[in-house]
Structure formats: structure tokens, C-alpha cells
Amino acid sequence: MVTATGPAPGSEIRQNSTHARPQRNICGLLSMPAIFDDGMVLQRDTPIAVFGTISATATNNESRIMIRLIDGRGRQAAEATATADQTTGQWLAYLPALPASGPYELHVEAGNDRLRFTDVYVGVVWLAGGQSNMEVELRNSDNAEQALAQCADPLLRFYNVPKTGVVDEMAENASAWQNSSPQASGVMSAVAYYFARRLRAKLGAGIAVGMVDCYIGGTSITCWMSRATLEGCAAGRGYLDRYDQAVAGKTMDELHTAADAWQHAFDAWNASIAAARQADPGITWDTLNEQYGACPWPPPVTPFSQWHTCGAFEAMIMRVTPYTLEGVLWYQGEEDEPYCESYRELLGLMIAEWRTLWHRADLPFLLVQLPQWIDRKVDESTGDPMLWPTIRAAQWDAAHGIDGVHAVCLMDCGEYDNIHPTDKRTPGERLADCALRYVYGHAEMPVEGPELLDAQVIDGTHMRLRFAHAHGLRFDGTDPSSRHNADLRSRENTSTTVRNAGKSGFEIADADGRFRGVAAEIIGTDTGQNHADPTIGTVMLTVPEKIQPVTVRYAWRSWGPAPLFNADALPAVPFTHHLA
């Protein structure tokens, strides 16, 4: 089984600190986190958290902090005060809620120590978190050249939180808020860019959108949680035990030697892949793997790597919280495939912990349900381990079971044998549509694909399934590959209402638990109560002879047929349903 995901190809997994600005957020006894910088975006329509620390040697006068927001005419637009904790030196203040506006200067003063930040806007701020598929940079996604040529937008801004498992102040000093531009946006998360671009187009020309990019490829969800939270559940303790056992008995010299050897091999592999792709942009991953071998992943487990349990939480999340956000985008789960049965519990715990840190119990979380993928060697040898469907189900259940959590379905996306699909516009824009619908109140925004309402065996040879959000219900292609092959897609779409067994995505099982592919036919809209409901569609399955169905499922594969869509071109949600 292949479970390694690794960083996204071409991502800057190690920070470039050559442009560090030493002590850029320190003045005398006063200091603030690196996320506060020139060009930052602050969250509109809610109190704005401003925070930092004062040295323990500060006097009472120096421990009182004054925060002012100054407009372009030098007038004070808002103010707040804070008093540092005498023990920790930490302070937190909230500026009053402001509408979208700017530019401003943010002045923070403690006694004679002053920090000033310029070109500050009040708009909307989202954190884009997760692992490698959130990490894929705009420059490495589909149509990158065109996207970068058109990306200039002074009110679309982003801040890359340094990717690290231990606090790296030098990298933080080199970090900065940046305006979207052809020169800067290549290293922005492609998903975050397309999300922000769509918000900019829909929310209003004068509303700044700020993205806090906060991700590391190859990270488990437990990298983004505290040790205290993980110790509170059996699944979390399992991750901690595996980590503790991996480093037990090893000296720091041994750990560094192993890490350096891996880094050398990893860098060499990446350089070979980059050179081959530059020489032949159309080269396939099959060819690359044949020529250069598989990616040397995973790295050794160490307490200083970017991938150790709790590392990203301590060195990244805790360095930006509680910077005021509109919400969180979360694209992660691939690395937790081996322990997929515990993912739902851990996802719920992570969401709750982050909401506590941000002092907001209803902080919106928009989840990306994993797209389709399978490793070719696994597919051709042992077969589909059927673990990604469990992750997808956990993500969908969280979206339905936790208030303020929503998910977008990507069963029409993904690439066979490439865990890092390069189409990032689709997930980014679907997340944006989800935000527009559920966070910004655009009720007209289509975000929901067909979703099972109920299933019933109506005679010995047929099963009737009813779907919500099924206006214009149709079949389109078979799997993501076929939908991107015009000739194949055309042949498969000779009928948009019928799919044969093995192509429909529907399977049934009787008491023996063995699933069999079945033919499916779309028979129209619901006609209950003597009138048609165009949002409810019906699919009829053909039940094989001598089979008494106990369970029906759809698209319950890591990679496989998923041809059902509605008129908004949104894919049906995968499911497993046990008949009453």
C-alpha cells in the first residue's frame, strides 16, 4: 500500500531567509508576531485582534499598549488599549469592528517604543490550511503562465506562514504580506489564489481579500493539533506513541545525520524531476518514476522536522492565532490514509481546538473532500485498499454534523497515479462558491451536487434511489480521466440517462457482503403529491437475479466511475447506504 504523499512538487518546503529583516517587529521592549506587517489585511465587521508581548523588564507605563488605526488623512479611525500580563508579558487588544476600507496605518505604542505598519486594509481574511494539495503553488498548477499573467491585483493579498515544525524566527523575519502580482503569486497556494480571486470578483471591487497560507505537504492532521488534545483521545495517543517510539533511544547527532542524508536524496530527486519536466513539459509520471524512481518519502522522524506530530501546530498555528479571520479552508487527509477510521474524530477535535484558539465557536471551516486517486502499482497489484472513501465519508460527515462546517465534493477531479492533481481552479472556485453561499449569504450560488435521500427495493429486479439537489440529473463521462478526454467522453455520453454495470458507479451487496456493479437509469424527477419537484431526481438500478440487496453504494472507490451530475455540473456525493 502506498500511503506517502510528500510535499507538492516544486514547493518551497525550506524557507528562504536571505531577505530576512532582523527584529522587524521588535522595538525596544515591544514585539509583535510576524503576521503583522506592512500590506496586511484585517478582518472587517468584527472586533480585530491585535496582540504581542512586552519584555518582563517593562515598567507599568511601558506595559500599557496603545493601538491606533490612522486613515490616509492622518485621522484616527479606531483605537484600543491593552495591558500586558505581568507574568507572561503577553497582551491582546481588540480594535472595534470596521467596514471594508483602507488604506490605513496601524500604530502600536508602549511607552517610548513604537511599531508602525503601513498600507493596511480592512477586508476579509481566510486561512488556507492543510497538506500538499493546498500547498501546490500557482506556478505549478494548470494554465499557470496565463494565470500569473492576469493575476495582478493590489487588493488580493497573501501571507505565507513559514513552513516549519519548530519556531524559525529568521524565516518569520523574511516573511511578508504580498500583493498578488506575476512576480509574487507564483509561490501562493493555487487553491487559495482561485478562491480569493473569485471572492474579489463577487464581494465588490473595493473589498480587499487576504489569504493566510498555512500548510505543509505530507503532514498528518495530528501535526496541526496540540499534544494535550491528542492525549485526550485513543486515536491521538496512537499517533503520539508512534512518534515517541520513532525517536526513542536516538541521539540528536544520529537524528540529524539521518535527516541530512534524506534531504540530500530528496533534493537530488526533486532536481532530476524538475530538469526532466523542463526539458519535456508533457512527460508522464510513469516515465519519471521509471527514470528516477519513486519520491524518497517519508523522511526520518525527528523532533525538528516539518512533519513531526504537533510540530506545525506549535510552530505555525500558534504563531498566527488569534489573528482575526473570516474562516478556514482545509484541504488535508491524504497522509492519514493508514489510520482513516480515526480521521473523523480527529477532524472534529482539530476544528474545536482551532475555534477555541481563535475565540470563535462558530468560525467557518470549508473542507475539500478528497478527489479521486489511486497509485498505479497498488491498483495493478493488490487492488484498491478502499481507504480514501473512508476519509471522504469522514469529511462529509463533519460537514453535516458540525455547525458552520461545509464541504465541497471533488469526485469529478483528480488524476490516476498522481496524488497532486494540477487542476486547482476547480477546488478553489468551489470553495469560494461555498463561502459565498454559506458565509456571505448568496443564496443563488449553486454549491450542492446530487445527494442520496433514500433507497428502496420496489420489486425483485429494481431498486429506486431518490436524490436531492438533482435538477437536470444526468450522467457525464465515467471517471475524471474520461471527462478530460473529449473523444472518450463523447462516446460515453451517447446516453446521458443510462450507464451499464461497471460504468455507473453504483454497486449493491447482499448478505454475503460482496459488492457487484449494477446498471443504472435516470428516470426523471419526483412526482409525489401529484406534482413534480425538479430538485429531486430518481435513479433506477437493475438488481441481478437471486440477489437480495442489503447495501447500496456509489463511487465508493479511491478511483473509479462517478458519472452522476446535476445541471450545475456538480458531482454526486459518494455514499454507502444500508437498506432498512
Side-chain angles (χ1 to χ4, degrees):
M1 180 193 309
V2 174
T3 59
T5 60
S11 64
E12 296 290 352
I13 67 165
R14 287 179 293 175
Q15 303 304 313
N16 181 352
S17 301
T18 58
H19 301 293
R21 295 168 287 163
Q23 298 187 325
R24 69 170 174 85
N25 274 16
I26 298 176
C27 181
L29 304 178
L30 174 66
S31 65
M32 294 178 67
I35 194 170
F36 289 94
D37 194 19
D38 298 339
M40 64 185 152
V41 181
L42 304 175
Q43 177 59 39
R44 68 174 182 176
D45 298 336
T46 191
I48 302 166
V50 184
F51 50 96
T53 58
I54 285 288
S55 171
T57 61
T59 65
N60 289 338
N61 181 56
E62 292 168 331
S63 295
R64 181 175 173 81
I65 299 92
M66 173 64 70
I67 302 101
R68 297 184 177 89
L69 201 62
I70 308 299
D71 69 16
R73 296 183 179 181
R75 299 174 301 189
Q76 182 169 294
E79 70 172 1
T81 60
T83 301
D85 183 276
Q86 293 183 348
T87 302
T88 65
Q90 296 177 340
W91 56 268
L92 168 65
Y94 285 93
L95 289 168
L98 294 168
S101 50
Y104 294 104
E105 290 188 359
L106 179 67
H107 295 185
V108 182
E109 302 175 0
N112 294 323
D113 300 330
R114 296 177 176 85
L115 291 170
R116 186 181 75 166
F117 306 100
T118 63
D119 191 32
V120 176
Y121 274 79
V122 176
V124 299
V125 185
W126 287 80
L127 185 144
Q131 60 176 111
S132 53
N133 277 304
M134 185 64 88
E135 180 183 51
V136 170
E137 295 166 342
L138 186 58
R139 61 182 176 171
N140 295 317
S141 64
D142 283 351
N143 304 311
E145 185 174 344
Q146 179 183 4
L148 286 169
Q150 299 173 349
C151 76
D153 183 348
L155 291 184
L156 193 167
R157 302 181 175 191
F158 66 100
Y159 174 78
N160 281 335
V161 180
K163 285 182 269 191
T164 179
V166 292
V167 174
D168 186 340
E169 293 184 356
M170 184 176 294
E172 290 180 341
N173 287 335
S175 65
W177 279 89
Q178 301 181 74
N179 295 354
S180 182
S181 70
Q183 296 74 34
S185 293
V187 297
M188 182 181 183
S189 160
V191 171
Y193 168 76
Y194 284 112
F195 173 86
R197 187 184 71 164
R198 194 161 180 85
L199 289 194
R200 284 279 296 125
K202 296 292 185 179
L203 293 182
I207 298 179
V209 175
M211 299 302 304
V212 179
D213 285 13
C214 190
Y215 39 73
I216 301 178
T219 47
S220 160
I221 191 171
T222 59
C223 296
W224 302 95
M225 302 168 67
S226 71
R227 191 173 188 99
T229 294
L230 293 177
E231 286 174 342
C233 66
R237 289 193 297 273
Y239 276 89
L240 290 171
D241 289 345
R242 287 187 289 274
Y243 166 71
D244 291 341
Q245 291 168 11
V247 299
K250 298 177 183 177
T251 67
M252 289 301 289
D253 285 344
E254 291 172 332
L255 292 168
H256 277 288
T257 297
D260 291 345
W262 171 83
Q263 190 70 59
H264 178 77
F266 183 75
D267 289 345
W269 184 85
N270 268 315
S272 297
I273 296 296
R277 295 182 75 181
Q278 183 174 4
D280 179 7
I283 193 169
T284 67
W285 277 104
D286 281 345
T287 301
L288 289 169
N289 288 334
E290 288 174 4
Q291 292 180 354
Y292 303 106
C295 176
W297 188 266
V301 177
T302 73
F304 49 79
S305 80
Q306 299 180 91
W307 302 281
H308 74 84
T309 305
C310 307
F313 175 85
E314 296 165 356
M316 296 176 69
I317 294 300
M318 292 302 291
R319 303 295 282 184
V320 299
T321 181
Y323 193 88
T324 308
L325 305 175
E326 185 85 276
V328 174
L329 312 180
W330 185 250
Y331 192 163
Q332 193 276 333
E334 302 94 328
E335 193 71 20
D336 292 295
E337 174 187 320
Y339 311 103
C340 58
E341 294 295 341
S342 64
Y343 190 79
R344 171 62 181 87
E345 179 183 12
L346 293 171
L347 179 58
L349 289 171
M350 189 203 77
I351 290 170
E353 180 163 46
W354 285 27
R355 284 175 164 177
T356 298
L357 290 173
W358 264 279
H359 310 298
R360 186 175 170 190
D362 62 348
L363 182 69
F365 271 74
L366 308 185
L367 313 178
V368 178
Q369 189 184 46
L370 292 186
Q372 296 217 45
W373 169 79
I374 195 169
D375 178 82
R376 180 186 296 275
K377 292 180 180 178
V378 170
D379 191 27
E380 294 176 348
S381 57
T382 59
D384 190 346
M386 305 286 280
L387 302 179
W388 275 39
T390 302
I391 296 283
R392 294 187 193 116
Q395 294 164 330
W396 206 254
D397 184 72
H400 285 67
I402 306 174
D403 289 342
V405 178
H406 306 278
V408 297
C409 178
L410 293 185
M411 289 306 290
D412 55 333
C413 299
E415 297 177 24
Y416 185 81
D417 200 37
N418 179 17
I419 203 167
H420 300 119
T422 52
D423 172 21
K424 297 307 181 194
R425 179 172 177 173
T426 299
E429 292 188 347
R430 284 189 185 163
L431 284 168
D433 289 347
C434 190
L436 289 165
R437 174 75 172 268
Y438 295 117
V439 178
Y440 299 110
H442 290 239
E444 78 287 354
M445 193 62 65
V447 297
E448 296 165 319
E451 192 166 1
L452 183 71
L453 284 173
D454 53 51
Q456 181 182 9
V457 178
I458 58 173
D459 56 41
T461 59
H462 292 91
M463 181 187 298
R464 183 178 63 200
L465 309 181
R466 295 194 313 140
F467 289 85
H469 320 302
H471 48 288
L473 198 63
R474 59 189 173 85
F475 290 123
D476 186 0
T478 298
D479 57 32
S481 293
S482 73
R483 297 189 74 250
H484 291 90
N485 181 320
D487 291 339
L488 179 57
R489 184 177 182 183
S490 178
R491 291 195 300 272
E492 291 177 335
N493 288 351
T494 301
S495 172
T496 59
T497 59
V498 175
R499 283 291 185 274
N500 294 328
K503 295 285 188 178
S504 70
F506 290 97
E507 300 174 289
I508 60 174
D510 61 10
D512 67 6
R514 184 170 68 88
F515 281 91
R516 305 155 176 86
V518 294
E521 180 179 4
I522 297 169
I523 62 172
T525 55
D526 182 65
T527 56
Q529 303 298 318
N530 299 317
H531 66 276
D533 183 343
T535 68
I536 297 178
T538 303
V539 175
M540 196 73 74
L541 306 184
T542 301
V543 179
E545 292 184 7
K546 300 181 180 180
I547 297 297
Q548 295 182 335
V550 172
T551 307
V552 58
R553 69 187 187 189
Y554 170 77
W556 203 260
R557 300 273 175 178
S558 301
W559 176 276
L564 193 61
F565 292 81
N566 63 20
D568 296 315
L570 293 171
V573 180
F575 66 83
T576 288
H577 177 76
H578 301 289
L579 301 175

